[in-house]
Structures are given as C-alpha cells and as structure tokens.
Amino acid sequence: MEKQPLQFLESLIQTPSPSGDELEIQKKWINYVTPFVDAVETDYSGSAIGILNPSAPFKVMLSGHCDEIAFMVTYIDDKGLIYVTKAGGINPNLALGMRVRILGKSGVLHGVVGVKAEHQGGSKGEIKVEDLYIDCGAQSSEELADRVQIGDYVIYDLDMMTLMNGRVAGRGLDNRTGAFIVAEVLRRLSEEQLAVGVYGASTVNEETNMGGAHFAACHIQPSLGIACDVTFATDYPGLDPKKDGDVKLGGGPVLSKGSMINYKINHMLE
C-alpha cells in the first residue's frame, strides 16, 4: 500500500468512533477527501459525503460505515469501579483482562476490565456484560466525579499493529476498512473523466441502528448504491469450506449475492 493511504488508515484506526459519537473520525475523513473531490456534504445524522461530478443525473453512491462497537458506562459504585452495557455487538467474553479507554467528559481515562475471579466462584463459562467491571485505579466514586459520567463510551486500548506480509491488525477494522476504501475510490476516480456522479459516504450508526446509510441514501437519492464492508474469512482452523465457504484473507474482494442484490450490477462488478 502507498505510504499516504496507509497513514490515513492508521489515523482512522487510532481515532475513537463508538457508534453515536463519530464526529472526530468524520473530521479526519473529510480532511482527507476534500483536496480531490468537487464537494463535501454532511447530513443531520452525522454522515460525511465526498462528491465527484455532482452535475451528472446518474448518481452512484458508495457507502462504508465508520463507527465501531464499544461499551457504555451505566453505573459507578462507591469503590470507584465502573460498570457498562453494550454499545453495539461487542462480545463480553473477549473483554476479560483487556485494557480500555474511557472516553470521559474531561479526556481519556485508562482502565482494565475484570470479573469475579474463577477460584472465588466467578464464571467458568460464558461471561455476561453485567459481570464486567472496569478498574481505573480510583478508590471512590468521588474521585471519578469530574472524569466519568453515565453514558460515556468505553473502547479497547488497541491501535494498528503491522504484521508480516503487509497485513495489519487493529481495533475497529469493521468498518474503518469500508470508510477507507470509499475514500480511496474517490481519490483514484478524481483522476478520471467520469460519466456519472460519484457520492462516497462515510456513514454512522451501523453498529447500533443502521441509520446513517439510510439517511445518507435519502439525502443523495442515488441511482445505484454499493455498500463496502467486511466479511468473515474462513481460512483459519476449525472451519469447513463446504459449509462456511472458501474466503481467504488476502484473496481479494467478496461479492454478496442473493435476492437483495442487483444481479446486473454484481455481474458488472465481477
């Protein structure tokens, strides 16, 4: 990957964007696409749209959401331990022992996720979100009064890590990947003579209520829409390609097929 796009992807991954609080990542997305698009628009839901050839009557909308799954603070006990609920489809079983960032009203507060110890009668199986607590070192709720409030988002304390063979790992690649691809398509198409209008949208709220893409489409009223998102690879241990399909990491894009998908457009993409 070229240096500038890779740096842009890394900046997206490093920027917290829990579903419902995507403002900062949208600012970075807008700043990246502004130099090479004809116009930039936003809508009341918080989605950002870069436009090429806006006078064309035929409009193609490309959509990738920018929000990530998270936790949300629901309660702070008198010992200063913080309790949470889900903000999107986050898995509590993966949270145990994870370092987290609480996106507090006066800045980021770091903590670690715990549960009741197994040898003290804690859960040996599935962990529920109500079993989790966050310890940020506070000794009382009073210490947190000016740092954390009910409704603050909590994300994992993970950024981008470069692996072998040009691969990366990082928090929120679902769907920084989609928002990134939409921006890159706009950048590359800006050097072409277009016969259609292209509306690249970085949308919000996919992980919780799916509203961003809906309202962006209502605003744009496109002739054609293409959603860019992630899917599951099946080339890791324990899966059967006869049952789960044959999708390899690094094997190229995957096209959805079925009754909801436009057959002619899929054939053209293929």
Side-chain angles (χ1 to χ4, degrees), residues 15-261:
T15 305
S17 65
S19 192
D21 187 12
E22 301 96 340
L23 179 60
E24 293 305 316
I25 198 170
Q26 292 292 53
K27 289 179 181 178
K28 291 188 177 182
W29 193 89
I30 289 171
N31 287 340
Y32 185 76
V33 304
T34 294
F36 48 77
V37 297
D38 296 320
V40 173
E41 297 179 353
T42 58
D43 63 22
Y44 290 128
S45 72
S47 294
I49 304 161
I51 307 170
L52 294 171
N53 198 21
S55 62
F58 192 97
K59 302 176 182 180
V60 177
M61 176 181 171
L62 308 173
S63 175
H65 72 89
C66 68
D67 59 313
E68 62 177 303
I69 55 176
F71 293 108
M72 179 181 284
V73 175
T74 57
Y75 180 68
I76 304 170
D77 72 13
D78 57 3
K79 296 179 181 179
L81 296 176
I82 297 168
Y83 296 83
V84 295
T85 189
K86 295 180 181 181
I90 196 164
N91 187 347
N93 290 283
L94 302 180
L96 180 59
M98 290 288 285
R99 294 181 298 178
V100 294
R101 302 174 198 164
I102 303 167
L103 308 179
K105 58 182 179 180
S106 59
V108 173
L109 186 65
H110 294 274
V112 63
V113 178
V115 297
K116 186 178 180 181
E118 185 176 318
H119 64 275
Q120 293 176 329
S123 174
K124 297 182 180 180
E126 182 180 358
I127 296 172
K128 299 178 181 179
V129 68
E130 54 264 31
D131 298 327
L132 304 177
Y133 60 82
I134 298 171
D135 188 346
C136 56
Q139 295 181 312
S140 68
S141 58
E142 287 76 15
E143 283 189 87
L144 296 173
D146 295 327
R147 304 291 300 275
V148 182
Q149 62 184 6
I150 306 305
D152 285 345
Y153 289 103
V154 181
I155 61 171
Y156 291 137
D157 190 9
L158 298 168
D159 288 323
M160 192 173 89
M161 177 171 56
T162 302
L163 307 177
M164 296 174 63
N165 297 310
R167 297 178 178 181
V168 299
R171 187 199 80 251
L173 281 169
D174 176 10
N175 191 28
R176 306 295 200 282
T177 306
F180 168 77
I181 288 173
V182 169
E184 280 301 286
V185 171
L186 288 173
R187 182 177 69 87
R188 298 186 187 196
L189 286 181
S190 67
E191 302 173 357
E192 306 291 336
Q193 294 294 321
L194 300 178
V196 301
V198 178
Y199 295 71
S202 174
T203 62
V204 297
N205 297 172
E206 190 273 348
E207 299 290 359
T208 49
N209 60 42
M210 308 290 282
H214 171 82
F215 289 115
C218 290
H219 171 70
I220 296 168
Q221 297 188 9
S223 313
L224 162 67
I226 300 174
C228 301
D229 211 323
V230 297
T231 189
F232 296 101
T234 62
D235 59 343
Y236 63 92
L239 294 185
D240 180 358
K242 296 190 296 293
K243 174 184 175 183
D244 303 303
D246 187 14
V247 180
K248 294 181 174 64
L249 185 65
V254 175
L255 294 178
S256 293
K257 291 192 173 183
S259 60
M260 295 176 64
I261 309 300

